[in-house]
Structure formats: C-alpha cells, structure tokens
Amino acid sequence: MDTVSFRNTDITGGFWKKKQEIIGNVSIYNILKRFTETGRFGAMDCKWKIGEPNEPHIFWDSDIAKWIESVSYIIEKEPHSELEKIIDDVADKMEKNRLENGYFNCCYIAKNPDKRWTDRTDHELYCAGHLIEAAAAYYRATGKRKLLDIMEKYTDYIYKVFVEDKSAEFVTPGHEEIELALVKLYDLTGKEKYLDLCRFFIDSRGVTDEREYNGVGHKYSQSHLPVREQTTAEGHSVRAAYLYSAMADLAKRINDKKLFSACETIFDDIINKKMYITGGIGSAARGEAFTVPYDLPNLTAYSESCAALALAWFAGRMTMLDCDSKYADTVERVLYNNGLSSVSLDGKSFFYVNPLEIRTELLERNTSQENTIENLPITQRREVFDCSCCPPNITRFIASVADFIYTVDENTVYVHQYINSETKTERFIIKQNTDYPNDGKIAVTVENAEIIALRIPYWCENFDIKLNGEKADYEIKKGYAYIELKSDKNEILLNIEITPRIVYPSRKVRDCIGRAAVQRGPVVYCAEGVDNDFSVISFKLSSEPCFKTEFSEQFGTYVITVNGTVPIAGEKLYSFEPEKRMEAKIKLIPYFAFANRGETDMEVYLLC
Ligand code: FUB
Ligand code: ZN
C-alpha cells in the first residue's frame, strides 16, 4: 500500500481549507518575523562571537529548516517569489559557511567546529535531519537543487563519519529525527546509501553501549533495548515518536516484519495506556516524557505539540503497513484536538504544552515557588519560545495534512480522512465533497478503482452507505467498509451520524475518576470559565444529558450546551451534610479553541 502525497491533492474548501489559509497567510509570516527578531535567521551567517546578543542555540538550524519545509509545502501549491528568495538566501549562506567536508551546523560552526560529533546530546544529527527534510521539500516544490546538493554532500559526510570511519564519539543520535529524514532522501534520490544510513542508526540504537543521556537513563532516548525488542513507548515522547515513525518507514522499505511488529506493539501501548483523549502524548514535564501506564494528569499534562504531531506521523505511516482503523482514528484524534489546539485561532501564536485543565486560582503556585519541578503549564499561547520547536512543526503539519487522506494499492482506494478535496494519482481520480467534521455526509467520487475502503470512525454508532444512488453492499474489515465498484466512475455517499457523546475514561486514569468528557464526532470539547458563570470544575453532568448544538463562526464548528448541576454556594471545607446542588447548563467549546479569549479556567473532564 502506498500513501497518496498531499502533492496529489488540493483541499478545495471546508474546515481544513480555512486552517491552511491561516497557516499560509498568517503563521508562516509571524514565525518568520519572530525567528528573525530572535536571531535565528541571522545565525545562518555562522559569525556569532562571545559577548554578542542572540547566542545561537544547538537546534536553531532545525527551527529554520521546519519553517523552510512548511513554506515549501505552501509554495508548491501557490508559488511565491519573495518566500523563495528568503529560502535561497539561507541556502547561499549554508553553502558559503559550511565546512569543506560538507558539515553544517550554525551553532557548532560559530562556537566550536572542532568539537563536532563529540556530544550525543547536542542535536547535530537532529538538525541535519530537519535540514534534509527541508531540502527535499524545497527541491520538490521548486526544482532548485542548491539546498538539496548541500544536504546530500552533508549526508555523505555523515555516512563517512558514522558508518565508514566510526570517528564520532557516539553511534546513534541523542535525538532521533535524521532516520525518517533519510528515508525521505532515499525516496527522492533512490540512493540506497541513505536507506543504509537510516538502517545503521535504527539497528544500532540500544545495541551499542552509549552513555546515559543527561543522567536520565537509556530509556529517555529509547536506547534501553534493540528497537525490535522494544514493546513499550518510553522516554522523551518526541524523540520516541520520531524513532517509531522511522521504524515504520524502514519496515515498509525493507519489508521487515519484526520491525513492523515492534511498531504495532508500541503503538498499542501508546493508544491503550499512554495517550490523552486529545491525542496528546508524553504526559510528564520531567523529561517531556512518557511515564507509567494511565498516568495522564489533566492539570499538569505536558502533551507537547510536537509529540502529538509525531504520533500522527507515526500512525499515518502505520496505515501504509496495515489498514487497521486504529491508526487513522489516532491521526484523526490528533488532527481535531491536540494538533489544532497547538495554534491560536488567528494563527499567530502557539502552545508548546497542551493541558486538559486550567485552574487560574492555582497560578499563584507558579509565582510563589519558582524553580520547583511542578510548574503549571502556561495558559496563553506565545508567538515564539526560547525552545521553539513546535510552531514550525505545526505549520508543516497543517500544510501537508492531505498526506493523511488516502493510501492506495493496485486497485483499491483506502479513505482514511474525510476532507473536502480533489485528488489525482497516476491511476485514480478521487473527489470528496463534505463539511466534515461539522456534518457527517461525505460524497466521494472515484474513477478507475475496483474497491473503495472507507474508514468508519471509532466514535460512530450509526452510518449508511450508498453506491451510485443504491444502498451499498459492504464488508467491514478492521474498521473499514470495503465496497466493490462495478463501474469506471462511482459516487459513494457515506453518511455518518454525528451527535455529542459522553466519553468515560478508564478508572485507571486517576485524575479522571468520576469524570467524563464530551465529544462530537472527532472533536473533543471543554468548558471555559469565560462562558459559564460558575466554577466549571464543579459542574456535574446530568445522568440524562440533553445536548443542544449551535454553529459558531468563531470556532468554525459547533458549540454545545448540556444540562447538569452545580453546588449551591456556601459549602464548608468539611461538612456532615452532603453537598446541595442546583440545576445548571454548561456551554462547551471545541478543545482546540481553548485559551483564545483571555486567561480563564478550562476543563475537559466534567464530573459525572
Ligand atoms: O530537543 C529538540 C526539541 O525541543 C524536542 O523535540 C522538544 O521536546 C524540545 O525539547
Ligand atoms: Zn515542540
């Protein structure tokens, strides 16, 4: 099964078109501005001297690279000479300032080029990986080779240092990323050497006796076991999900069943024990990491934006190996929740951390106890962070969101995501007309396919399917409805009932005991203080909830009102009387839109 690249698809309207417009018209310019002001673009001159402002950071290259990659995806659809000029300028600087052997890292070259490859924790390979992805994307978008040539020469040098000479002071990257980038470079160039290098890094992880990362143990960088023996998601969650994505990529390219099986076992561990309802992963701030199963606190949820995006990339790759809806369901969970909460509705600012609860009265804890481990997440998005990995990751994710829609094989089209769009591959022409997720009606026309497989989302209770106006015959396999197509051109109407539903988390999730969330289709909801004149944490859902929905232009989807009760004021700290409650209605908004109207309380899980 092959993926259908976003390059083959135009998103022609609806929910994601608007999101892409905001990314293309606002976010990439705002990030450009903030990355310029903070010295990131200037650092590509590699001239920084001690005492000067804007000291380059070990992964500034990756910030620039992800911005280039995002822009490449956008200009591939709509050329833009000024943006190209900025990228060409970066390529010129890299060409001028790289070392003779091809090495480039703006921080090392400015500060200590002779120390290169001495510190596994120092992100050189992570930066190289992002630059490779950027170079491949820019070449595909424009046909310009300079950046690609620079990165091919650099990759050849990395191959020499790590595989041939073994002259670096470590064997595998402390932060995975280059592995999946090497697969992209291999796919673009067809050069086996790049796949071999990816395989070298993946096969060596957890095998060689590398020193512990910052004293936090081998699990932090997934180096505790050879990858094919790993069964649980461990350590820093972005590192982990990038590695798992690359493992899935490699498993597909070399048809490695053991590697695929490790990916599936780890994936199941994530979605069954370590993932938030929003698709967030890495619940602990300490180490930005996975912790033990079911340890999913709401107030202190870390849930880094990059980690959720990486989970979607991992899941998307797994879809190519096995058409089981658990993968595309997970992509969808990220898409409409943690993926989108990462960026403000106006596209200007970003969350790095995505909590599931905000209690403004507790913020004092942050200011009165500086330097404690348990800092509460910030409550408002920011335009840039000192560590600003998330903003340009979100832009490249949304710009290429159509990557997630289809996979195909010789005669079958598999539809994983429902997005209003038009697609042309060498063989198939496919169109989707839909207002999903606001509405569950999806009209798909497909030409030249013999079978179409439609994902029936995990949250769906009722659906029907028509083929060319008649009730369709279908067979459900692993969450997909398979329909045989008898004509060359077919119209399929999938109608999925979308109504608000209550989601009860496992009682093993300590923070959620006695609480439940509300979900409408794939969209998870939350309550904000600004909409409700009582404390949202004390609202209790009725046992016979009556949902009312109303479309909100501001959020681009529905808001929900539901009935329940709130405590009558005046409770004592301790009392021999049970709490008295009165009827109330609570307004819920999509989780992805929280914190767009000033600092206010927020709850995903309501008492039930
Ligand atoms: O270390 C590079 C990036 O910065 C990681 O992926 C994020 O978690 C943040 O720590
Ligand atoms: Zn990040």
Side-chain angles (χ1 to χ4, degrees), residues 431-463:
K431 281 188 194 165
Q432 282 193 44
N433 193 351
T434 181
D435 193 23
Y436 192 89
N438 297 333
D439 184 275
K441 292 190 193 69
I442 304 132
V444 187
T445 55
V446 58
E447 289 179 40
N448 303 333
E450 288 168 27
I451 298 172
I452 190 163
L454 305 169
R455 178 177 62 97
I456 307 303
Y458 67 97
W459 46 262
C460 159
E461 286 182 296
N462 296 307
F463 68 94

mmCIF file of all heavy atoms in Angstrom, residues 431-463:
data_model
loop_
_atom_site.group_PDB
_atom_site.id
_atom_site.type_symbol
_atom_site.label_atom_id
_atom_site.label_comp_id
_atom_site.label_asym_id
_atom_site.label_seq_id
_atom_site.Cartn_x
_atom_site.Cartn_y
_atom_site.Cartn_z
ATOM 1 N N LYS A 431 -12.657 12.516 -5.595
ATOM 2 C CA LYS A 431 -13.116 13.799 -5.050
ATOM 3 C C LYS A 431 -13.917 13.542 -3.790
ATOM 4 O O LYS A 431 -14.691 12.583 -3.732
ATOM 5 C CB LYS A 431 -14.035 14.500 -6.057
ATOM 6 C CG LYS A 431 -13.294 15.177 -7.158
ATOM 7 C CD LYS A 431 -14.237 16.000 -8.009
ATOM 8 C CE LYS A 431 -13.479 16.357 -9.281
ATOM 9 N NZ LYS A 431 -14.324 16.839 -10.343
ATOM 10 N N GLN A 432 -13.743 14.411 -2.825
ATOM 11 C CA GLN A 432 -14.598 14.354 -1.630
ATOM 12 C C GLN A 432 -15.305 15.679 -1.491
ATOM 13 O O GLN A 432 -14.661 16.737 -1.555
ATOM 14 C CB GLN A 432 -13.755 14.162 -0.372
ATOM 15 C CG GLN A 432 -13.267 12.762 -0.136
ATOM 16 C CD GLN A 432 -12.720 12.613 1.284
ATOM 17 O OE1 GLN A 432 -13.305 13.081 2.254
ATOM 18 N NE2 GLN A 432 -11.587 11.938 1.383
ATOM 19 N N ASN A 433 -16.596 15.589 -1.307
ATOM 20 C CA ASN A 433 -17.378 16.780 -1.055
ATOM 21 C C ASN A 433 -17.998 16.609 0.326
ATOM 22 O O ASN A 433 -18.834 15.732 0.533
ATOM 23 C CB ASN A 433 -18.457 16.889 -2.144
ATOM 24 C CG ASN A 433 -19.095 18.239 -2.123
ATOM 25 O OD1 ASN A 433 -18.864 19.024 -1.209
ATOM 26 N ND2 ASN A 433 -19.905 18.512 -3.128
ATOM 27 N N THR A 434 -17.539 17.419 1.272
ATOM 28 C CA THR A 434 -18.024 17.223 2.635
ATOM 29 C C THR A 434 -17.785 18.443 3.502
ATOM 30 O O THR A 434 -16.861 19.222 3.250
ATOM 31 C CB THR A 434 -17.320 16.004 3.289
ATOM 32 O OG1 THR A 434 -17.828 15.833 4.606
ATOM 33 C CG2 THR A 434 -15.816 16.167 3.352
ATOM 34 N N ASP A 435 -18.584 18.567 4.538
ATOM 35 C CA ASP A 435 -18.362 19.611 5.528
ATOM 36 C C ASP A 435 -17.907 18.975 6.846
ATOM 37 O O ASP A 435 -18.091 19.541 7.920
ATOM 38 C CB ASP A 435 -19.675 20.399 5.721
ATOM 39 C CG ASP A 435 -19.416 21.683 6.480
ATOM 40 O OD1 ASP A 435 -18.266 22.165 6.464
ATOM 41 O OD2 ASP A 435 -20.368 22.200 7.107
ATOM 42 N N TYR A 436 -17.359 17.791 6.761
ATOM 43 C CA TYR A 436 -16.820 17.085 7.923
ATOM 44 C C TYR A 436 -15.785 17.973 8.617
ATOM 45 O O TYR A 436 -15.015 18.627 7.921
ATOM 46 C CB TYR A 436 -16.153 15.815 7.391
ATOM 47 C CG TYR A 436 -15.761 14.786 8.398
ATOM 48 C CD1 TYR A 436 -16.633 13.786 8.788
ATOM 49 C CD2 TYR A 436 -14.482 14.790 8.944
ATOM 50 C CE1 TYR A 436 -16.248 12.811 9.695
ATOM 51 C CE2 TYR A 436 -14.093 13.817 9.854
ATOM 52 C CZ TYR A 436 -14.987 12.834 10.219
ATOM 53 O OH TYR A 436 -14.608 11.871 11.115
ATOM 54 N N PRO A 437 -15.711 18.009 9.905
ATOM 55 C CA PRO A 437 -16.418 17.232 10.910
ATOM 56 C C PRO A 437 -17.722 17.893 11.380
ATOM 57 O O PRO A 437 -18.321 17.419 12.338
ATOM 58 C CB PRO A 437 -15.424 17.188 12.060
ATOM 59 C CG PRO A 437 -14.762 18.524 12.001
ATOM 60 C CD PRO A 437 -14.694 18.880 10.535
ATOM 61 N N ASN A 438 -18.095 18.996 10.730
ATOM 62 C CA ASN A 438 -19.331 19.649 11.176
ATOM 63 C C ASN A 438 -20.545 18.818 10.802
ATOM 64 O O ASN A 438 -21.554 18.799 11.499
ATOM 65 C CB ASN A 438 -19.417 21.048 10.571
ATOM 66 C CG ASN A 438 -18.261 21.896 11.064
ATOM 67 O OD1 ASN A 438 -17.750 21.644 12.153
ATOM 68 N ND2 ASN A 438 -17.819 22.846 10.278
ATOM 69 N N ASP A 439 -20.415 18.128 9.698
ATOM 70 C CA ASP A 439 -21.515 17.318 9.196
ATOM 71 C C ASP A 439 -20.931 15.967 8.771
ATOM 72 O O ASP A 439 -19.798 15.909 8.305
ATOM 73 C CB ASP A 439 -22.096 18.069 7.988
ATOM 74 C CG ASP A 439 -23.306 17.386 7.443
ATOM 75 O OD1 ASP A 439 -23.149 16.461 6.620
ATOM 76 O OD2 ASP A 439 -24.404 17.764 7.858
ATOM 77 N N GLY A 440 -21.713 14.905 8.921
ATOM 78 C CA GLY A 440 -21.181 13.567 8.639
ATOM 79 C C GLY A 440 -21.470 13.054 7.242
ATOM 80 O O GLY A 440 -21.266 11.875 6.956
ATOM 81 N N LYS A 441 -21.972 13.950 6.349
ATOM 82 C CA LYS A 441 -22.250 13.480 4.980
ATOM 83 C C LYS A 441 -20.999 13.655 4.137
ATOM 84 O O LYS A 441 -20.454 14.752 4.029
ATOM 85 C CB LYS A 441 -23.381 14.296 4.352
ATOM 86 C CG LYS A 441 -24.715 14.071 4.990
ATOM 87 C CD LYS A 441 -25.805 14.734 4.131
ATOM 88 C CE LYS A 441 -27.105 14.811 4.902
ATOM 89 N NZ LYS A 441 -27.072 15.752 6.024
ATOM 90 N N ILE A 442 -20.576 12.560 3.515
ATOM 91 C CA ILE A 442 -19.366 12.618 2.694
ATOM 92 C C ILE A 442 -19.694 12.009 1.337
ATOM 93 O O ILE A 442 -20.071 10.832 1.252
ATOM 94 C CB ILE A 442 -18.214 11.822 3.349
ATOM 95 C CG1 ILE A 442 -17.956 12.354 4.767
ATOM 96 C CG2 ILE A 442 -16.943 11.907 2.501
ATOM 97 C CD1 ILE A 442 -17.853 11.313 5.799
ATOM 98 N N ALA A 443 -19.575 12.825 0.297
ATOM 99 C CA ALA A 443 -19.789 12.307 -1.064
ATOM 100 C C ALA A 443 -18.421 12.087 -1.695
ATOM 101 O O ALA A 443 -17.631 13.022 -1.810
ATOM 102 C CB ALA A 443 -20.596 13.307 -1.884
ATOM 103 N N VAL A 444 -18.143 10.849 -2.077
ATOM 104 C CA VAL A 444 -16.847 10.537 -2.693
ATOM 105 C C VAL A 444 -17.097 10.084 -4.122
ATOM 106 O O VAL A 444 -17.907 9.175 -4.355
ATOM 107 C CB VAL A 444 -16.136 9.383 -1.946
ATOM 108 C CG1 VAL A 444 -14.726 9.178 -2.486
ATOM 109 C CG2 VAL A 444 -16.099 9.626 -0.453
ATOM 110 N N THR A 445 -16.434 10.711 -5.084
ATOM 111 C CA THR A 445 -16.474 10.138 -6.429
ATOM 112 C C THR A 445 -15.094 9.594 -6.727
ATOM 113 O O THR A 445 -14.075 10.215 -6.396
ATOM 114 C CB THR A 445 -16.871 11.169 -7.511
ATOM 115 O OG1 THR A 445 -15.995 12.266 -7.414
ATOM 116 C CG2 THR A 445 -18.291 11.623 -7.360
ATOM 117 N N VAL A 446 -15.080 8.430 -7.342
ATOM 118 C CA VAL A 446 -13.786 7.800 -7.619
ATOM 119 C C VAL A 446 -13.812 7.188 -9.017
ATOM 120 O O VAL A 446 -14.799 6.584 -9.426
ATOM 121 C CB VAL A 446 -13.434 6.773 -6.510
ATOM 122 C CG1 VAL A 446 -14.465 5.700 -6.360
ATOM 123 C CG2 VAL A 446 -12.070 6.161 -6.737
ATOM 124 N N GLU A 447 -12.703 7.408 -9.707
ATOM 125 C CA GLU A 447 -12.593 6.836 -11.064
ATOM 126 C C GLU A 447 -11.473 5.806 -11.081
ATOM 127 O O GLU A 447 -10.421 6.012 -10.478
ATOM 128 C CB GLU A 447 -12.275 7.946 -12.081
ATOM 129 C CG GLU A 447 -13.453 8.861 -12.305
ATOM 130 C CD GLU A 447 -13.141 9.979 -13.299
ATOM 131 O OE1 GLU A 447 -12.460 9.712 -14.305
ATOM 132 O OE2 GLU A 447 -13.584 11.108 -13.035
ATOM 133 N N ASN A 448 -11.716 4.734 -11.789
ATOM 134 C CA ASN A 448 -10.730 3.679 -12.083
ATOM 135 C C ASN A 448 -10.396 2.745 -10.934
ATOM 136 O O ASN A 448 -9.456 1.970 -11.048
ATOM 137 C CB ASN A 448 -9.408 4.273 -12.608
ATOM 138 C CG ASN A 448 -9.647 5.104 -13.840
ATOM 139 O OD1 ASN A 448 -10.610 4.848 -14.569
ATOM 140 N ND2 ASN A 448 -8.803 6.090 -14.068
ATOM 141 N N ALA A 449 -11.113 2.827 -9.815
ATOM 142 C CA ALA A 449 -10.809 1.906 -8.709
ATOM 143 C C ALA A 449 -11.766 0.716 -8.761
ATOM 144 O O ALA A 449 -12.903 0.842 -9.210
ATOM 145 C CB ALA A 449 -10.953 2.630 -7.384
ATOM 146 N N GLU A 450 -11.286 -0.437 -8.311
ATOM 147 C CA GLU A 450 -12.168 -1.612 -8.255
ATOM 148 C C GLU A 450 -12.799 -1.778 -6.871
ATOM 149 O O GLU A 450 -13.870 -2.354 -6.721
ATOM 150 C CB GLU A 450 -11.377 -2.867 -8.619
ATOM 151 C CG GLU A 450 -11.055 -2.878 -10.106
ATOM 152 C CD GLU A 450 -10.039 -3.938 -10.486
ATOM 153 O OE1 GLU A 450 -9.944 -4.964 -9.780
ATOM 154 O OE2 GLU A 450 -9.331 -3.720 -11.484
ATOM 155 N N ILE A 451 -12.062 -1.277 -5.858
ATOM 156 C CA ILE A 451 -12.583 -1.371 -4.480
ATOM 157 C C ILE A 451 -12.321 -0.040 -3.791
ATOM 158 O O ILE A 451 -11.274 0.582 -4.003
ATOM 159 C CB ILE A 451 -11.857 -2.498 -3.698
ATOM 160 C CG1 ILE A 451 -12.117 -3.849 -4.361
ATOM 161 C CG2 ILE A 451 -12.295 -2.524 -2.239
ATOM 162 C CD1 ILE A 451 -11.296 -4.981 -3.795
ATOM 163 N N ILE A 452 -13.276 0.363 -2.967
ATOM 164 C CA ILE A 452 -13.010 1.518 -2.103
ATOM 165 C C ILE A 452 -13.218 1.054 -0.669
ATOM 166 O O ILE A 452 -14.142 0.272 -0.381
ATOM 167 C CB ILE A 452 -13.905 2.733 -2.460
ATOM 168 C CG1 ILE A 452 -13.417 3.977 -1.707
ATOM 169 C CG2 ILE A 452 -15.379 2.488 -2.177
ATOM 170 C CD1 ILE A 452 -13.950 5.294 -2.275
ATOM 171 N N ALA A 453 -12.307 1.480 0.212
ATOM 172 C CA ALA A 453 -12.425 1.123 1.630
ATOM 173 C C ALA A 453 -12.586 2.415 2.415
ATOM 174 O O ALA A 453 -11.736 3.298 2.333
ATOM 175 C CB ALA A 453 -11.179 0.369 2.082
ATOM 176 N N LEU A 454 -13.687 2.522 3.136
ATOM 177 C CA LEU A 454 -13.987 3.757 3.877
ATOM 178 C C LEU A 454 -13.817 3.520 5.369
ATOM 179 O O LEU A 454 -14.407 2.572 5.916
ATOM 180 C CB LEU A 454 -15.435 4.188 3.625
ATOM 181 C CG LEU A 454 -15.867 4.383 2.170
ATOM 182 C CD1 LEU A 454 -17.390 4.546 2.105
ATOM 183 C CD2 LEU A 454 -15.189 5.613 1.579
ATOM 184 N N ARG A 455 -13.046 4.385 6.016
ATOM 185 C CA ARG A 455 -12.899 4.212 7.470
ATOM 186 C C ARG A 455 -14.199 4.597 8.174
ATOM 187 O O ARG A 455 -14.778 5.644 7.916
ATOM 188 C CB ARG A 455 -11.775 5.088 8.012
ATOM 189 C CG ARG A 455 -11.608 4.977 9.549
ATOM 190 C CD ARG A 455 -10.438 5.793 10.042
ATOM 191 N NE ARG A 455 -10.628 7.199 9.769
ATOM 192 C CZ ARG A 455 -11.100 8.103 10.626
ATOM 193 N NH1 ARG A 455 -11.435 7.740 11.868
ATOM 194 N NH2 ARG A 455 -11.229 9.366 10.285
ATOM 195 N N ILE A 456 -14.646 3.713 9.040
ATOM 196 C CA ILE A 456 -15.787 4.027 9.901
ATOM 197 C C ILE A 456 -15.192 4.424 11.256
ATOM 198 O O ILE A 456 -14.641 3.576 11.959
ATOM 199 C CB ILE A 456 -16.734 2.807 10.053
ATOM 200 C CG1 ILE A 456 -17.142 2.265 8.660
ATOM 201 C CG2 ILE A 456 -17.954 3.184 10.885
ATOM 202 C CD1 ILE A 456 -17.820 3.269 7.733
ATOM 203 N N PRO A 457 -15.282 5.711 11.606
ATOM 204 C CA PRO A 457 -14.583 6.173 12.814
ATOM 205 C C PRO A 457 -15.010 5.436 14.082
ATOM 206 O O PRO A 457 -16.173 5.017 14.193
ATOM 207 C CB PRO A 457 -14.949 7.654 12.897
ATOM 208 C CG PRO A 457 -15.394 8.038 11.530
ATOM 209 C CD PRO A 457 -15.995 6.804 10.924
ATOM 210 N N TYR A 458 -14.088 5.333 15.035
ATOM 211 C CA TYR A 458 -14.342 4.595 16.285
ATOM 212 C C TYR A 458 -15.514 5.175 17.061
ATOM 213 O O TYR A 458 -16.168 4.490 17.833
ATOM 214 C CB TYR A 458 -13.067 4.595 17.152
ATOM 215 C CG TYR A 458 -12.721 5.978 17.664
ATOM 216 C CD1 TYR A 458 -13.108 6.389 18.944
ATOM 217 C CD2 TYR A 458 -12.062 6.896 16.863
ATOM 218 C CE1 TYR A 458 -12.834 7.667 19.391
ATOM 219 C CE2 TYR A 458 -11.784 8.184 17.300
ATOM 220 C CZ TYR A 458 -12.171 8.556 18.557
ATOM 221 O OH TYR A 458 -11.922 9.831 18.996
ATOM 222 N N TRP A 459 -15.806 6.452 16.894
ATOM 223 C CA TRP A 459 -16.846 7.107 17.696
ATOM 224 C C TRP A 459 -18.229 6.985 17.052
ATOM 225 O O TRP A 459 -19.231 7.414 17.628
ATOM 226 C CB TRP A 459 -16.514 8.587 17.901
ATOM 227 C CG TRP A 459 -16.082 9.284 16.650
ATOM 228 C CD1 TRP A 459 -14.792 9.530 16.264
ATOM 229 C CD2 TRP A 459 -16.919 9.778 15.586
ATOM 230 N NE1 TRP A 459 -14.773 10.163 15.036
ATOM 231 C CE2 TRP A 459 -16.069 10.322 14.599
ATOM 232 C CE3 TRP A 459 -18.289 9.821 15.390
ATOM 233 C CZ2 TRP A 459 -16.546 10.896 13.430
ATOM 234 C CZ3 TRP A 459 -18.779 10.391 14.230
ATOM 235 C CH2 TRP A 459 -17.907 10.919 13.259
ATOM 236 N N CYS A 460 -18.290 6.369 15.868
ATOM 237 C CA CYS A 460 -19.537 6.377 15.094
ATOM 238 C C CYS A 460 -20.444 5.214 15.513
ATOM 239 O O CYS A 460 -20.022 4.064 15.535
ATOM 240 C CB CYS A 460 -19.162 6.282 13.619
ATOM 241 S SG CYS A 460 -20.475 5.709 12.581
ATOM 242 N N GLU A 461 -21.706 5.533 15.806
ATOM 243 C CA GLU A 461 -22.653 4.477 16.183
ATOM 244 C C GLU A 461 -23.513 4.050 15.005
ATOM 245 O O GLU A 461 -23.898 2.899 14.880
ATOM 246 C CB GLU A 461 -23.582 4.987 17.288
ATOM 247 C CG GLU A 461 -22.919 5.093 18.625
ATOM 248 C CD GLU A 461 -23.924 5.559 19.660
ATOM 249 O OE1 GLU A 461 -24.424 6.692 19.533
ATOM 250 O OE2 GLU A 461 -24.208 4.788 20.590
ATOM 251 N N ASN A 462 -23.868 5.014 14.159
ATOM 252 C CA ASN A 462 -24.753 4.714 13.026
ATOM 253 C C ASN A 462 -24.209 5.328 11.753
ATOM 254 O O ASN A 462 -23.765 6.475 11.767
ATOM 255 C CB ASN A 462 -26.150 5.314 13.264
ATOM 256 C CG ASN A 462 -26.799 4.677 14.462
ATOM 257 O OD1 ASN A 462 -26.897 3.462 14.547
ATOM 258 N ND2 ASN A 462 -27.208 5.500 15.404
ATOM 259 N N PHE A 463 -24.275 4.559 10.690
ATOM 260 C CA PHE A 463 -23.875 5.109 9.389
ATOM 261 C C PHE A 463 -24.609 4.339 8.304
ATOM 262 O O PHE A 463 -25.113 3.233 8.539
ATOM 263 C CB PHE A 463 -22.355 4.993 9.180
ATOM 264 C CG PHE A 463 -21.874 3.577 9.024
ATOM 265 C CD1 PHE A 463 -21.714 3.007 7.753
ATOM 266 C CD2 PHE A 463 -21.599 2.788 10.126
ATOM 267 C CE1 PHE A 463 -21.292 1.697 7.617
ATOM 268 C CE2 PHE A 463 -21.171 1.482 9.995
ATOM 269 C CZ PHE A 463 -21.019 0.932 8.733
#
